[in-house]
C-alpha cells in the first residue's frame, strides 16, 4: 500500500535525535541520488526504497532538521561532537526562483543549530551564499557562532592546484590562471593566494564593477590581470582554471582553455557541465579535505553525506567548523564575502593540520587522479 507524501515527510521530520553538541554542520544534497539515499537511511531498512517521483514529491515537505550525530577525532587526541542538519533544499531548486524558500530553509536550519546549543556552525555549499547578509535575522544566538568555512576551502583548492601542477610537471609561475566566479568569497580568496605565484590571472564573473574592484586590488600588488564577463573575451588561453561560481547546476562550459589545462571544479553543486568538451584537460574536484583522526556518523551516513572515493573526506567548508571545534576556538573565523587573505588561509590550515585534517587525495568523476591511491570498496565512478 502506498504511503502518503505528508505521512512520509512527517515521519522523517519527527525523528530528530536528542543532541548535545560542539559544532553543527548545515548542508543540502547535491543531486537526487544523494537525496534518495538520505531519505532511505532516515526511513530505516524496514521500509522499501521509494520511487524517484515520490522522493521528488516528498522532499520539499521535509523541514530543516538534524539527521545524525557526527563525531570528529583529532590526531592530537580529543574529539568534538556535532550534528549534521540538512536544510532539505531540493537539489533542483537552487536557482534564484527559489531564493525565498531556500533562505527560509537555511534560517530554519540555523535556528535548529542555535536551539541545539552548537558552539560553532559551519555553513555548507549554498547555505552561506543564501544566508550571507541575513545572519542578523536569526533568533538570539546564546553564544552560537557561524563560519562559512570558505577559508579552509580556499586553502584546499590552492593546495590541490599546487599538487596537481607537481603531479603533471607544470610550472605554476609560467601559467595563466583563470578563475570563474572570481569575485565570490571562494574565488577572490583563491585569486589573492595564487595571483602572486602565476604569470597572469584571468578573472570572470557576471558583474563588471566587482571584477574591476578585484582587478585593481591585485594590480596594486603588481599582478598582471585581465577581466571579462564572457569566457570567450579573454586574449589568452588558461593553463590552470578554478571554477568557483555559484551555479545552481553543473552547466559551465569552459570553452577555450589550453590543451591539457589543469582544471579545478570547486563548485557545490559542481560547476562543469558533463557535456563540456575539454580534450586532455586534467580535471579534479577541489576544496576537499580528509580528517585522519576519525569521523563517525550516527546513524551511519558514511558515504552518503560524504560521497567521495576515499574514507573520511569532507568539503572544506564543513571541515573548518570541525577543525575550530577540535581547537576549542569557537569564533566566526570566515564571515562576510571577500575578506579571505593568504594569512588567514595559512592560519586555518595550521589549525586543521594540528588535528590531522589535510588535503584529500585528488579525484574526478572517473576516479583518483593520483597513482597508487585506492578507492573505497563500492565507490562507483561517474
Ligand atoms: N568545495 C567546497 O568545499 C566548497 C566550499 C564552499 C563553497 N563551495 C562552492 O563554491 C561556489 C562559490 O561559493 P562562494 O561562497 O564563493 O559564492 P559567492 O560568494 O556567492 O560567489 C559566487 C561567484 O560566482 C559568480 N557567478 C555566479 N554566477 C555566475 C555565472 N553564471 N558565471 C560566472 N560567474 C558567476 C559571482 O559573481 P557574479 O554574480 O558577478 O556573476 C561570484 O563571483 C559555490 O558553488 C559553493 O557551493 C564549495
Amino acid at each position: 500500500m502506498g504511503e502518503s507524501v505528508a505521512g512520509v515527510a512527517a515521519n522523517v521530520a519527527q525523528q530528530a535525535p536528542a543532541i548535545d553538541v560542539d559544532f553543527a554542520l548545515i548542508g543540502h544534497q547535491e543531486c537526487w541520488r544523494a537525496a534518495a539515499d538520505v531519505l532511505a537511511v532516515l526511513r530505516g531498512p524496514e521500509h522499501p526504497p521509494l520511487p524517484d517521483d515520490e522522493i521528488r514529491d516528498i522532499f520539499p515537505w521535509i523541514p530543516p532538521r538534524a539527521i545524525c550525530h557526527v563525531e570528529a577525532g583529532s590526531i592530537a587526541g580529543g574529539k568534538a561532537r556535532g550534528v549534521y542538519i540538512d536544510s532539505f533544499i531540493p537539489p533542483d531548486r537552487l536557482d534564484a526562483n527559489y531564493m525565498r524558500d531556500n533562505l527560509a530553509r537555511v534560517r530554519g536550519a540555523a535556528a535548529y543549530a542555535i536551539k541545539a546549543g552548537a558552539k560553532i556552525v559551519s555553513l555548507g555549499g549554498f547555505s552561506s551564499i543564501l544566508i550571507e547578509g541575513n545572519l542578523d535575522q536569526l533568533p538570539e544566538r546564546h553564544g552560537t557562532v557561524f563560519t562559512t568555512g570558505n577559508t579552509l576551502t580556499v586553502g584546499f583548492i590552492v593546495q590541490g592546484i599546487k599538487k596537481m601542477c607537481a603531479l603533471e610537471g607544470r610550472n605554476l609561475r609560467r601559467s595563466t590562471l583563470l578563475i570563474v566566479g572570481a569575485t565570490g568569497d571562494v574565488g577572490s580568496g583563491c585569486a589573492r593566494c595564487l595571483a602572486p605565484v602565476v604569470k597572469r590571472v584571468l578573472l570572470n564573473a557576471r558583474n563588471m564593477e566587482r571584477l574591476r574592484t578585484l582587478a585593481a586590488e591585485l594590480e596594486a600588488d603588481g599582478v598582471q590581470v585581465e577581466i571579462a564577463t564572457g569566457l570567450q573575451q579573454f586574449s589568452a588561453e588558461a593553463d590552470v582554471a578554478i571554477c568557483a561560481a555559484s551555479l545552481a547546476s553543473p552547466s559551465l562550459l569552459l570553452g577555450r582553455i589550453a590543451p591539457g589545462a589543469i582544471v579545478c571544479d570547486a563548485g557545490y553543486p559542481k560547476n562543469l557541465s558533463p557535456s563540456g568538451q575539454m580534450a586532455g584537460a586534467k580535471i579534479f574536484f577541489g576544496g576537499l579535505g580528509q580528517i585522519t583522526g576519525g569521523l563517525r556518523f550516527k546513524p551511519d551516513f558514511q558515504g552518503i553525506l560524504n560521497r567521495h572515493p576515499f574514507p573520511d573526506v569532507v568539503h572544506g567548508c564543513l571541515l573548518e567548523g570541525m577543525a575550530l571545534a577540535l581547537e576549542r576556538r569557537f569564533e566566526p573565523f570566515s564571515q562576510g564575502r571577500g575578506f579571505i587573505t593568504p594569512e588567514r588561509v595559512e592560519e586555518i590550515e595550521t589549525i586543521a593540520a594540528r588535528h590531522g585534517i589535510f588535503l584529500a587525495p585528488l579525484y574526478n568523476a572517473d576516479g583518483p587522479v593520483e597513482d597508487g591511491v585506492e578507492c573505497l570498496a563500492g565507490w562507483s565512478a561517474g
Side-chain angles (χ1 to χ4, degrees), residues 67-356:
I67 61 171
C68 65
H69 289 277
V70 184
E71 192 180 87
S74 165
I75 54 166
K79 286 183 177 15
R81 285 162 50 83
V83 66
Y84 180 96
I85 301 168
D86 202 310
S87 50
F88 286 97
I89 296 174
D92 57 358
R93 293 192 188 175
L94 278 171
D95 60 277
N97 295 330
Y98 297 97
M99 175 85 121
R100 277 169 69 105
D101 185 44
N102 292 342
L103 178 55
R105 284 176 175 278
V106 177
R107 275 209 203 109
Y112 199 115
I114 292 169
K115 200 165 155 216
K119 299 182 186 80
I120 188 162
V121 184
S122 254
L123 296 161
F126 263 56
S127 313
S128 61
I129 298 169
L130 286 159
I131 213 164
E132 168 58 28
N134 291 288
L135 275 173
D136 54 339
Q137 292 164 23
L138 292 174
E140 207 189 326
R141 280 188 237 167
H142 306 294
T144 300
V145 297
F146 288 79
T147 185
T148 65
N150 287 344
T151 311
L152 189 55
T153 298
V154 168
F156 287 143
I157 293 170
V158 170
Q159 286 182 36
I161 292 283
K162 289 180 176 169
K163 184 172 180 181
M164 196 70 175
C165 284
L167 287 171
E168 293 295 319
R170 309 286 176 79
N171 186 342
L172 203 45
R173 292 211 168 269
R174 285 200 218 117
S175 301
T176 295
L177 169 70
L178 165 68
I179 304 179
V180 183
T183 54
D185 199 35
V186 172
S188 60
C190 292
R192 289 190 192 98
C193 290
L194 284 169
V197 298
V198 297
K199 190 173 77 182
R200 71 163 141 177
V201 290
L202 314 177
L203 306 177
N204 166 258
R206 295 164 305 176
N207 182 299
M208 189 45 116
E209 210 36 59
R210 285 199 286 267
L211 282 171
R212 281 201 193 102
T213 305
L214 180 62
E217 179 195 323
L218 299 176
E219 279 164 349
D221 289 332
V223 177
Q224 229 189 92
V225 186
E226 207 178 311
I227 56 176
T229 53
L231 287 166
Q232 306 307 325
Q233 295 159 7
F234 290 112
S235 66
E237 289 180 339
D239 310 298
V240 178
I242 295 172
C243 308
S246 49
L247 303 184
S249 60
S251 51
L252 178 67
L253 298 169
L254 272 187
R256 217 159 58 90
I257 51 171
I262 287 173
V263 180
C264 168
D265 190 341
Y268 183 92
K270 305 271 182 316
N271 273 191
L272 292 171
S273 165
S275 63
Q277 301 289 319
M278 288 189 289
K282 309 288 176 192
I283 301 171
F284 72 98
F285 300 147
L288 301 165
Q290 193 169 37
I291 176 158
T292 60
L295 177 68
R296 286 199 348 210
F297 298 105
K298 196 171 167 206
D300 190 6
F301 276 94
Q302 198 67 254
I304 292 172
L305 294 181
N306 53 343
R307 307 172 77 81
H308 310 288
F310 316 110
D312 303 339
V313 169
V314 182
H315 282 87
C317 48
L318 299 183
L319 281 172
E320 184 173 300
M322 292 193 231
L324 290 164
L326 287 167
E327 185 81 354
R328 313 307 288 174
R329 236 178 106 165
F330 300 108
E331 61 182 71
F333 194 91
S334 310
Q335 217 178 25
R337 184 175 281 143
F339 303 116
I340 297 176
T341 60
E343 294 73 27
R344 290 291 275 173
V345 170
E346 202 183 321
E347 189 179 350
I348 194 69
E349 283 175 338
T350 305
I351 293 170
R354 191 155 42 237
H355 298 288

